[in-house]
Amino acid sequence: MTSTEDLVNDVIVVVQDRFDTRFAATGEVFDLGQWLQFFAFDVMGTMTFSKRYGFLDEGRDVGGMLAAIIQYMRSAAPFTQIAWLDWLIRKNKIGDSIRQLFYRSASLTIIGFVGKAIKERREELANGKEEDKASDTGARKDFLTRFLEIQNGNPNVPLWAPTAWTFSNVLAGSDSVGTVMRTTMFNLLSYPHTLAKLHKELSEANLTMPIPEYAELRELEYLDACVQVGSRMHPPFALPFERVVPPGDVTILGHYLPGGTVVGGSPYVVNRDKGTFGADAEFWRPERWLEKDDAHKRKLEQGVLT
């Protein structure tokens, strides 16, 4: 995280300016959740490609990337749970050919964006432009440059690996962070006494200004508790995280599972287990993270399936 902190700070300066000049100075009402999503995507864009997507600059979904990701999630989710339908429509030559001929999926839109970025970066590296850029910015390497360096330095890394890693950054990294930020801010505003507690902690922490350092923020207990509860209350991916029972079978809570069985749990359900989080597991209460000792805190963290 610290190696990319300056890249994140660049985007924080931009969002501060937009909030001050576009909203605070004019009194215009705006959707904070939407702008937090814009911020998360521009941060990941800067960390991955050394440039913002432009969401904060234009105040909108530039290039339809957010819409493409929503469409991708909505279309992919059912197939992850209905294996036979996935095979029938997508995982065979006939179905795949028809789909590619008549329907451009959202994932192809994102992959096209990623592929173009990788092609341009390879050309920059080949021409020495990326080295010149790194020297001008204090050798701040983004994720894409690091991915390509890993591949170039290891012949065992397949050609498609940087595309897969970068696709994950664009899709999972941006959307999941944005979702946690939106959930956390929504609940802080819904429960003003917790917002007041967080404000008090931040005000008394003697933080570096105007942008605190990550090393300072990570030590703030109530801030950490708020983020933990935000990820618990509304997990960005509410699909089962599947695991395969190893050979030899296993019995869990009296249930016999033969080897090869695919098991999984819903993060939304697991994160509300009253045996772990208490009788008020449905409610936003950051204090539950701070009520007991470190062992209690670790138990809660291990019980979150986000």
Side-chain angles (χ1 to χ4, degrees), residues 53-298:
Y53 296 126
F55 295 158
L56 292 174
D57 298 278
E58 300 191 24
R60 64 182 182 87
D61 180 9
V62 178
M65 184 175 293
L66 289 176
I69 289 176
I70 292 173
Q71 181 187 352
Y72 171 76
M73 293 294 188
R74 287 176 174 170
S75 62
F79 292 113
T80 65
Q81 306 306 303
I82 312 174
W84 65 266
L85 184 62
D86 188 27
W87 178 86
L88 181 66
I89 297 179
R90 299 158 61 104
K91 298 292 177 62
N92 66 82
K93 291 183 179 180
I94 296 177
D96 187 57
S97 298
I98 293 175
R99 188 169 57 87
Q100 292 191 35
L101 183 62
F102 295 102
Y103 175 69
R104 179 175 176 81
S105 69
S107 62
L108 292 178
T109 300
I110 302 168
I111 289 176
F113 172 84
V114 169
K116 180 181 178 182
I118 291 176
K119 179 176 181 293
E120 292 175 351
R121 182 60 54 83
R122 289 188 189 279
E123 293 175 352
E124 291 177 356
L125 290 170
N127 297 328
K129 293 182 180 179
E130 187 62 25
E131 286 80 357
D132 296 339
K133 186 192 302 181
S135 62
D136 292 339
T137 58
R140 299 188 308 180
K141 292 183 180 179
D142 56 32
F143 278 115
L144 180 53
T145 296
R146 295 176 189 272
F147 293 159
L148 294 175
E149 286 180 349
I150 291 172
Q151 184 188 51
N152 293 335
N154 187 345
N156 294 322
V157 176
L159 187 63
W160 51 261
T163 301
W165 296 335
T166 308
F167 181 85
S168 179
N169 268 22
V170 173
L171 187 67
S174 305
D175 192 62
S176 58
V177 171
T179 299
V180 172
M181 291 177 65
R182 295 180 75 159
T183 302
T184 302
M185 285 304 304
F186 172 82
N187 282 284
L188 284 169
L189 293 171
S190 299
Y191 297 85
H193 68 283
T194 64
L195 180 60
K197 271 190 175 183
L198 178 59
H199 183 269
K200 183 175 185 294
E201 181 182 60
L202 292 169
S203 300
E204 296 176 353
N206 193 29
L207 300 171
T208 302
M209 298 301 286
I211 301 177
E213 297 178 1
Y214 174 68
E216 300 171 326
L217 296 174
R218 66 183 299 179
E219 301 299 325
L220 302 183
E221 289 188 341
Y222 198 76
L223 173 62
D224 178 68
C226 290
V227 175
Q228 295 280 3
V229 181
S231 65
R232 181 184 77 86
M233 294 295 292
H234 188 79
F237 294 96
L239 296 171
F241 291 101
E242 298 176 347
R243 299 292 184 270
V244 180
V245 175
D249 311 338
V250 66
T251 299
I252 301 177
L253 298 177
H255 296 279
Y256 170 74
L257 301 172
T261 303
V262 178
V263 297
S266 167
Y268 191 91
V269 175
V270 173
N271 290 0
R272 284 167 168 72
D273 177 58
K274 293 182 179 179
T276 302
F277 299 102
D280 62 346
E282 289 284 343
F283 295 95
W284 166 271
R285 191 168 64 83
E287 289 77 10
R288 83 176 74 244
W289 246 259
L290 309 174
E291 289 173 336
K292 300 180 182 179
D293 55 13
D294 289 342
H296 167 75
K297 184 177 180 180
R298 286 195 298 271

